[in-house]
Amino acid sequence: MNYRPESPDMVHVRHRSYHPFDYHVPTRIVGGPGAVAQLPAELDRYGIERPLIITDAGIRAVGLLDPVLTALTAEARTAEIFDGIASDPTTHSVEEAARRIREGGHDGIIALGGGSPLDAAKAAAAVATSGRPVLELVGPERITTDPLPVIAIPTTAGTGSEVTRFCVLSDPASSRKVSISSMRVLPVLAILDPELTSGLPAPLTAATGFDALAHAIESFGSVWNNPISEGHAKNAVALIGRHLLTALREPENLEARAGMLAASCIAELAANSTRLGLTHALAVPLGGLHSIPHGVAVAIVLPEMCAFNEELESTRYTELAALLSPDADNLERAVRELRDAAGLTSRLRDWDVGEDDFAPVVEIAVGSDNTEANPRAAGPGELTELLRAAL
């Protein structure tokens, strides 16, 4: 691909320094088949007596809530349930969850589901103790009081929300995605039980898997990369290359499901300290403005970003390509081949996105710190070219 930079001084690899850095993730992580059975003991460990389960109606309908309730019942524990979180959580649903927390006198949260319920639960735990509206918490480190403790149980392998300081929400008033960013919202515990992901439909397995892959690749390339995050990123890429297609072909394969769940968590352990890159800078507004599922938007843009960055850092990305596919020497090509094999073949045009729609997406992306983290500088012209390439 031939990208035409806006100006000559845009064509450079930004300085990437391995010092200084401050890596800190306070979340305990436990995992393995049947790990959810440890939940009553973990509630006791954190002194949670009146938990509220925050999830979505779909999780409840397909029975993924049942193992949690069974674990609690086995130890004569109970919990109330709030399942009003939509697949794209809104600020309104967070306010409603916070109201339920306060009215029920709950002292802790069990967050169950994909990134949407987990992000909403973390935000609601903060709103409930802060006494402030959720929109006042949007932005970096605006939370000044400790949220209620959150135990996060992911049922998808993609967002890594169980170990991240971010809560991504939709604001209906502005029709945009907004983000809370604070180390205070990190869950106290993440429970990674692959049995809860074994029934995940193939399209969702593929889309969430590509979200995790993007987290790892973008963190590896970030100008804020550090030795700890780089090790996590490379491990996550290797796990995804080894397990994603198996998880798609053999949905009940617990080794593959455990591998993908670990990859998702590890990729976010990397990205939590580095931010991401141009893929997420563009995918977030594509989801907010055009309702493209996040993982799908990521899969559409990721190879284009890899091509853009590889033009100046081909040697560095060759290492990732080999981790993703042993015979690969080009990351863009390896990502495209995996994307096609995973069935993620849609383009922007398939979501009724055309060139006339680029400007507001680019406007949001330009102001994103994900764009700032990308190793190759990109302005409106470069971002527009990436979207054009993804049509």
Side-chain angles (χ1 to χ4, degrees), residues 16-374:
R16 182 187 287 108
S17 173
Y18 290 108
H19 58 277
F21 66 90
D22 182 349
Y23 188 92
H24 175 63
V25 177
T27 305
R28 264 185 69 233
I29 305 168
V30 300
V36 74
Q38 301 177 38
L39 186 54
E42 296 297 349
L43 290 173
D44 290 340
R45 176 192 292 265
Y46 295 104
I48 300 172
E49 297 182 355
R50 290 185 53 79
L52 177 68
I53 299 173
I54 295 181
T55 187
D56 62 54
I59 291 291
R60 194 173 194 172
V62 300
L64 288 176
L65 181 58
D66 295 345
V68 172
L69 298 179
T70 298
L72 294 174
T73 302
E75 297 294 329
R77 301 291 297 265
T78 61
E80 293 184 26
I81 302 163
F82 177 80
D83 65 358
I85 305 301
S87 59
D88 191 11
T90 66
T91 52
H92 295 333
S93 64
V94 168
E95 294 285 4
E96 178 61 18
R99 183 186 65 79
R100 283 285 300 274
I101 292 169
R102 289 189 292 261
E103 291 180 355
H106 298 289
D107 58 358
I109 307 298
I110 299 170
L112 177 70
S116 295
L118 268 57
D119 277 7
K122 293 187 300 183
V127 171
T129 59
S130 72
R132 297 160 61 194
V134 63
L135 286 176
E136 288 189 9
L137 306 183
V138 168
E141 301 300 342
R142 293 185 179 175
I143 297 174
T144 56
T145 57
D146 287 335
L148 292 179
V150 175
I151 295 176
I153 308 173
T155 60
T156 64
T159 68
S161 179
E162 67 274 9
V163 291
T164 184
R165 59 191 171 98
F166 303 102
C167 308
V168 180
L169 310 169
S170 289
D171 176 28
S174 65
S175 298
R176 291 190 174 190
K177 295 286 185 80
V178 295
S179 179
I180 295 171
S181 172
S182 174
M183 293 297 289
R184 290 180 183 269
V185 303
L186 278 155
V188 296
L189 173 69
I191 298 178
L192 308 183
D193 189 335
E195 292 182 352
L196 298 182
T197 68
S198 64
L200 201 65
L204 194 53
T205 297
T208 53
F210 254 75
D211 192 22
L213 179 61
H215 291 165
I217 291 173
E218 291 182 289
S219 175
F220 179 83
S222 170
V223 297
W224 297 310
N225 189 20
N226 61 71
I228 297 173
S229 65
E230 184 169 302
H232 285 320
K234 291 193 289 187
N235 190 15
V237 169
L239 285 168
I240 292 167
R242 191 181 312 146
H243 294 298
L244 177 56
L245 294 182
T246 302
L248 288 168
R249 295 165 183 156
E250 304 171 29
E252 304 299 324
N253 186 315
L254 284 183
E255 180 181 356
R257 290 296 186 179
M260 287 304 299
L261 201 52
S264 171
C265 181
I266 293 167
E268 196 54 43
L269 287 174
N272 203 41
S273 66
T274 64
R275 300 303 288 121
L276 296 166
L278 301 183
T279 296
H280 273 78
L282 291 167
V284 170
L286 284 170
L289 298 175
H290 298 284
S291 301
I292 305 176
H294 180 66
V296 174
V298 164
I300 291 171
V301 178
L302 181 59
E304 315 306 337
M305 185 207 73
C306 291
F308 179 74
N309 287 339
E310 278 187 296
E311 284 191 2
L312 292 184
E313 288 197 290
S314 59
T315 301
R316 179 169 173 77
Y317 285 106
T318 297
E319 182 179 6
L320 279 194
L323 289 171
L324 189 61
S325 177
D327 298 325
D329 60 2
N330 176 281
L331 185 59
E332 175 205 357
R333 190 157 51 245
V335 169
R336 286 190 192 280
E337 290 174 356
L338 181 61
R339 184 182 68 175
D340 291 346
L344 293 165
T345 57
S346 69
R347 309 288 292 166
L348 290 181
R349 60 179 174 270
D350 298 315
W351 295 90
D352 295 324
V353 177
E355 294 204 24
D356 292 344
D357 302 305
F358 289 174
V361 174
V362 168
E363 179 186 358
I364 295 171
V366 165
S368 169
D369 55 3
N370 289 321
T371 297
E372 186 179 354
N374 197 70

